[in-house]
Amino acid sequence: MPLVVMCGFPCSGKSRRTQELKEYILKNTDRKVHVVGDETVGIEQNSVYADSQKEKNLRGELRADVERKVNKDDVVILDSLNYIKGYRYELFCLIKHAQTPHCLIYCLTTPDDSSAWNNNRACEKQYTQQILDALVMRFEAPDSRNRWDSPLFTIQKDDTLPFEAISDAIFHKKAPPPNQSTQSQPLSSSNFLYELDKVTQDVVTAVLNAQKTSVPGDLIAVPEASEKIELTRSLNMAELRKLRRQFISYTKMHPTENIGKIANMFVQYLNKSIH
């Protein structure tokens, strides 16, 4: 069901907080808890975090593991650094698609505290000081004003986890609404594919006709769309056909629930593609 994203410097107490939250949920609910993190995939952190490609692969592996485990009943806790804003946004998109709530727990420590805790670890689990300093420097702190970082619980080293507030956020709040492009629409719908083909062809025809009397910078109105195409340059038939085929292929895999939005979606796609 919900996803709990841990976030913080290396050695900031994320795993300890993960265990505390897991124990609370198991004791007070009938839900299972799945923990996904650096330790569950068995990495050597100094090797991985010293190599940007290895680190990117790790994030992809963790994200895929979260996606496999997220379901309507269980709680998934992602116990990793999660220090990159763009990656947290990817996780937010994942839970929007799964239509499940989430929250973020930020274990706030000073670099000195994290360094001291790191030195108290077993040697094989320690970060080198160079790697730890680099990760602290690259850290992008969460901001509750960002929808992908909210609800946000900031926990300092001596704080007690606000278990009830966290439970309320993940068990009783509504999931964020999915994007219109990721909502499910059965392809067996009697007129979905017909409308997709017809509307996109009408838009292409309208663009070609409008270009006969338009110049770059003009806004082109197209049938059934409230949004307009921003004509930044001339578009030929071959390019428009290619963009139409790409849009149709994508939309077949991610059908919209509202057929009336196809035209606006295609206009948005064209505007992004031709700039």
Side-chain angles (χ1 to χ4, degrees):
M1 187 176 175
L3 171 65
V4 178
V5 179
M6 308 302 294
C7 179
F9 291 164
C11 305
S12 57
K14 298 183 299 298
S15 294
R16 174 168 64 91
R17 301 301 192 175
T18 295
Q19 186 60 31
E20 290 173 357
L21 182 59
K22 178 180 178 179
E23 291 175 359
Y24 176 86
I25 293 172
L26 292 176
K27 181 179 179 181
N28 292 278
T29 75
D30 58 357
R31 300 179 188 276
K32 295 180 181 178
V33 178
H34 303 284
V35 176
V36 176
D38 295 5
E39 291 191 4
T40 66
V41 296
I43 66 164
E44 202 293 302
Q45 67 258 29
N46 288 309
S47 171
V48 169
Y49 288 113
D51 185 316
S52 60
Q53 186 57 51
K54 288 182 180 178
E55 185 181 344
K56 182 178 179 181
N57 292 342
L58 170 64
R59 291 195 297 271
E61 186 175 352
L62 293 175
R63 184 189 183 282
D65 201 6
V66 167
E67 191 167 16
R68 284 192 295 269
K69 287 182 167 62
V70 164
N71 61 52
K72 65 183 179 65
D73 297 316
D74 304 339
V75 177
V76 179
I77 304 176
L78 178 57
D79 177 20
S80 187
L81 299 176
N82 299 316
Y83 70 96
I84 297 174
K85 179 171 62 176
Y87 183 60
R88 296 197 299 269
Y89 177 73
E90 289 181 25
L91 295 169
F92 177 72
C93 292
L94 185 155
I95 63 102
K96 286 185 71 175
H97 181 68
Q99 296 189 50
T100 184
H102 95 308
C103 75
L104 191 139
I105 299 176
Y106 176 25
C107 297
L108 178 60
T109 56
T110 67
D112 287 343
D113 282 338
S114 288
S115 183
W117 289 354
N118 181 55
N119 291 333
N120 289 330
R121 283 185 162 190
C123 291
E124 66 274 11
K125 291 189 176 182
Q126 287 184 13
Y127 291 84
T128 66
Q129 192 62 46
Q130 181 181 6
I131 294 296
L132 190 147
D133 290 343
L135 289 169
V136 167
M137 186 174 297
R138 297 203 299 267
F139 188 84
E140 296 175 344
D143 184 340
S144 62
R145 292 173 295 183
N146 298 327
R147 62 192 187 280
W148 56 88
D149 287 336
S150 180
L152 173 64
F153 300 93
T154 300
I155 311 298
Q156 300 194 47
K157 63 178 183 178
D158 296 324
D159 290 345
T160 299
L161 277 178
F163 296 110
E164 291 187 5
I166 293 172
S167 296
D168 183 61
I170 61 177
F171 295 135
H172 304 302
K173 300 294 185 184
K174 288 184 178 179
N179 295 330
Q180 66 176 26
S181 61
T182 58
Q183 288 178 306
S184 295
Q185 166 76 24
L187 286 183
S188 58
S189 173
S190 59
N191 61 344
F192 175 75
L193 293 178
Y194 169 79
E195 288 295 328
L196 178 62
D197 183 76
K198 177 180 180 299
V199 169
T200 53
Q201 183 57 58
D202 288 347
V203 171
V204 168
T205 301
V207 172
L208 290 171
N209 290 335
Q211 284 188 135
K212 297 175 183 178
T213 56
S214 301
V215 296
D218 285 353
L219 295 176
I220 297 176
V222 297
E224 299 186 41
S226 59
E227 300 190 33
K228 296 182 179 181
I229 293 175
E230 302 170 16
L231 189 65
T232 56
R233 57 183 175 83
S234 179
L235 300 168
N236 60 39
M237 172 70 82
E239 183 176 9
L240 284 168
R241 282 179 173 172
K242 179 182 177 181
L243 291 171
R244 176 173 175 263
R245 287 195 302 271
Q246 291 172 345
F247 176 77
I248 288 175
S249 296
Y250 175 82
T251 308
K252 283 180 179 178
M253 293 186 294
H254 305 276
T256 176
E257 196 170 68
N258 188 340
I259 290 176
K261 293 183 178 180
I262 292 175
N264 274 335
M265 290 170 59
F266 188 35
V267 168
Q268 293 168 5
Y269 182 83
L270 289 176
N271 282 332
K272 290 179 181 178
S273 301
I274 65 180
H275 285 167

